[in-house]
Amino acid sequence: MSRVLRQPLRPGVEWELDNVTFDREFPRGVVAKLLAERAEQGGWELDRVRIGADGVRRVVLRRRVIKAVRTA
């Protein structure tokens, strides 16, 4: 259902992208609720939504990757 990949969009900032698809049988309210739960629990934000001619929703979520910097 989802696939996570990392992609640098500009120097110094790295985003983790998650592609999620929902069948046309899922009502809009259910999809919104599922995406809100992922945002609250995992820190994801909505990047892009595409609804195909067949009714399938393809959603791209993203979150910033924070890398620990060694100080010593």
Side-chain angles (χ1 to χ4, degrees):
M1 185 162 154
S2 67
R3 187 182 75 191
V4 177
L5 59 104
R6 290 187 179 194
Q7 176 180 1
L9 297 178
R10 60 180 191 240
V13 178
E14 191 172 333
W15 294 93
E16 187 175 8
L17 301 175
D18 188 10
N19 297 318
V20 184
T21 58
F22 296 100
D23 288 334
R24 64 183 300 163
E25 287 81 29
F26 286 98
R28 182 177 178 187
V30 171
V31 172
K33 190 172 187 174
L34 291 170
L35 292 175
E37 287 177 8
R38 294 214 42 185
E40 291 175 2
Q41 308 251 328
W44 293 97
E45 61 185 41
L46 187 64
D47 185 48
R48 170 178 327 126
V49 177
R50 290 188 178 181
I51 302 175
D54 57 354
V56 174
R57 290 180 177 91
R58 290 170 183 84
V59 180
V60 178
L61 302 172
R62 71 178 184 176
R63 65 179 168 188
R64 186 175 289 206
V65 176
I66 301 172
K67 294 187 177 184
V69 177
R70 189 173 178 177
T71 58

